[in-house]
Amino acid sequence: DQCSVSAFSKAVIELANCYPLLKPRVLKSMVLAASANGQLSAVEREIIASMAAVMDCPVAGQLSLIE
């Protein structure tokens, strides 16, 4: 399914306001879901890294582990 930019932005902001200990778990789940096919594309990496930046929760180490 497609999602509008405004809906996506609203969802990311809502995630940014969630409980701090939940943020890394959400991002780790996103990495695992995106890499379920055994790889993580450049677009998937960029989306997750951008969301992590907005959420103030870096995931650079997790993204570099997936080839």
Side-chain angles (χ1 to χ4, degrees):
D1 290 332
Q2 296 290 325
C3 147
S4 70
V5 173
S6 63
F8 181 77
S9 296
K10 183 179 176 182
V12 173
I13 291 169
E14 191 169 329
L15 285 171
N17 292 324
C18 74
Y19 186 66
L21 294 178
L22 183 61
K23 294 177 186 183
R25 294 176 71 187
V26 169
L27 291 166
K28 182 177 181 179
S29 297
M30 289 174 55
V31 171
L32 291 173
S35 63
N37 64 350
Q39 52 188 323
L40 196 60
S41 73
V43 172
E44 292 166 333
R45 285 179 200 267
E46 186 64 31
I47 291 170
I48 294 169
S50 298
M51 290 180 68
V54 171
M55 294 171 68
D56 195 26
C57 185
V59 293
Q62 293 176 0
L63 292 177
S64 64
L65 294 177
I66 309 293
E67 292 301 324

